[in-house]
């Protein structure tokens, strides 16, 4: 079950389950200097929602795939939480922080897939 596509799918489902918006999958597998092969980036409308999305990602992957993150950070202020699954990093932002750090532009040479919002 630890295939990258399964991880990406489970992460996407868990973000959508908590109404995360503007989900983007960056495939960095062809970029030698990248810290991971996949970035999943999304946003929540508040710090409370950002925390809820992050909690749901961690719980869903543990329940469905028995996968625990190597590490996670950002719960202190919940403006940007990153969850490290080794080859896949999940970035959950509030909109202002996402615009400020603009990871999609920073990694613009990656293959980018926009995942439609559910509502």
């Amino acid at each position: 079950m630890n295939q990258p596509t399964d991880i990406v799918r489970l992460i996407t489902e868990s973000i959508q389950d908590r109404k995360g918006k503007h989900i983007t999958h960056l495939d960095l597998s062809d970029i030698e200097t990248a810290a991971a092969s996949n970035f999943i980036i999304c946003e929540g409308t508040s710090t409370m929602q950002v925390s809820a999305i992050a909690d749901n990602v961690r719980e869903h992957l543990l329940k469905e795939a028995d996968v625990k993150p190597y590490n996670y950070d950002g719960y202190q202020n919940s403006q940007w939480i990153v969850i490290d699954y080794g080859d896949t990093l999940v970035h959950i932002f509030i909109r202002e922080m996402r615009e400020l750090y603009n990871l999609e532009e920073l990694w613009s040479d990656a293959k980018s897939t926009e995942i439609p919002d559910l509502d």
Side-chain angles (χ1 to χ4, degrees):
M1 178 64 174
N2 248 350
Q3 300 302 317
T5 52
D6 291 334
I7 295 284
V8 169
R9 180 182 52 79
L10 289 171
I11 290 167
T12 302
E13 288 171 0
S14 56
I15 292 168
Q16 290 173 328
D17 189 47
R18 291 292 176 265
K19 310 280 190 256
K21 300 289 185 199
H22 306 117
I23 304 169
T24 302
H25 171 220
L26 296 182
D27 180 347
L28 303 153
S29 58
D30 293 335
I31 302 171
E32 286 184 29
T33 56
S37 295
N38 296 289
F39 279 11
I40 308 295
I41 305 165
C42 73
E43 62 190 59
T45 56
S46 66
T47 56
M48 188 179 293
Q49 186 186 18
V50 166
S51 293
I53 293 168
D55 288 345
N56 201 54
V57 167
R58 292 172 42 219
E59 291 164 12
H60 191 65
L61 264 70
L62 185 59
K63 180 180 167 203
E64 297 297 322
D66 198 30
V67 174
K68 290 183 183 178
Y70 292 103
N71 208 344
Y72 50 88
D73 193 27
Y75 277 94
Q76 302 85 347
N77 60 22
S78 295
Q79 294 183 7
W80 175 10
I81 295 177
V82 62
I83 308 171
D84 178 359
Y85 285 103
D87 239 14
T88 301
L89 294 177
V90 185
H91 299 273
I92 307 159
F93 290 97
I94 60 168
R95 178 174 294 135
E96 296 79 17
M97 286 295 132
R98 184 175 186 172
E99 290 171 359
L100 178 68
Y101 288 99
N102 200 357
L103 295 182
E104 291 93 337
E105 182 65 30
L106 184 66
W107 294 100
S108 61
D109 45 352
K111 286 180 267 182
S112 178
T113 305
E114 302 290 323
I115 297 160
D117 292 344
L118 289 182
D119 55 359

